[in-house]
Amino acid sequence: QVQLVESGGGLVQTGGSLRLSCALSGRTFSNYAMGWFRQAPEKEREFVATISWSGDITYYSDSVKGRFTISRDNAQNTVYLQMNTLKPDDTAVYFCAAKRRDYSEHASAYSWWGQGTQVTVSS
């Protein structure tokens, strides 16, 4: 059974940075592509970034491209989301997700989800 646990959320001022982590347990981490999604109050869950199982392919939403970086450490069973130049619009609960095979920007493609971590950006 795959389990995902996010950490690293918090309160930050506009222009600040945060790094989210997501640890996978229960299975071999390198077998899974990983994604980050977010959901703001009264909004649908939206794609943020995804990374292939090997880490050599990444893909971002237009809203975070150039500000956020997704990476993974297969030895540590962890995927990261480095978030720079944060804006109030980035305020949301951030979720990591795992899927077998190819990376994807579609939430419906992911089989396993973490519980989420709150990110709040103050203006």
Side-chain angles (χ1 to χ4, degrees):
Q1 180 70 16
V2 173
Q3 293 185 321
L4 300 170
V5 178
E6 302 100 334
S7 61
L11 174 64
V12 64
Q13 292 185 334
T14 296
S17 298
L18 281 174
R19 188 176 82 154
L20 305 183
S21 301
C22 173
L24 183 149
S25 62
R27 290 292 186 268
T28 302
F29 182 61
S30 59
N31 288 344
Y32 298 90
M34 302 296 295
W36 285 98
F37 294 80
R38 66 187 182 185
Q39 188 166 17
E42 301 182 358
K43 292 189 176 180
E44 293 186 356
R45 189 168 299 191
E46 66 170 348
F47 166 73
V48 175
T50 182
I51 188 166
S52 62
W53 67 268
S54 63
D56 60 346
I57 300 174
T58 58
Y59 182 68
Y60 300 90
S61 69
D62 288 343
S63 61
V64 307
K65 195 177 300 181
R67 300 187 299 122
F68 290 12
T69 302
I70 188 171
S71 62
R72 65 189 295 158
D73 184 339
N74 285 351
Q76 297 295 323
N77 294 349
T78 302
V79 62
Y80 303 98
L81 186 69
Q82 177 66 44
M83 306 185 295
N84 298 329
T85 320
L86 282 161
K87 307 174 182 179
D89 283 350
D90 295 318
T91 296
V93 177
Y94 283 70
F95 299 88
C96 72
K99 67 179 299 294
R100 293 192 179 100
R101 299 189 182 93
D102 300 333
Y103 64 95
S104 174
E105 64 184 293
H106 302 292
S108 60
Y110 289 80
S111 300
W112 298 277
W113 292 81
Q115 82 288 351
T117 186
Q118 177 71 47
V119 171
T120 303
V121 185
S122 63
S123 56

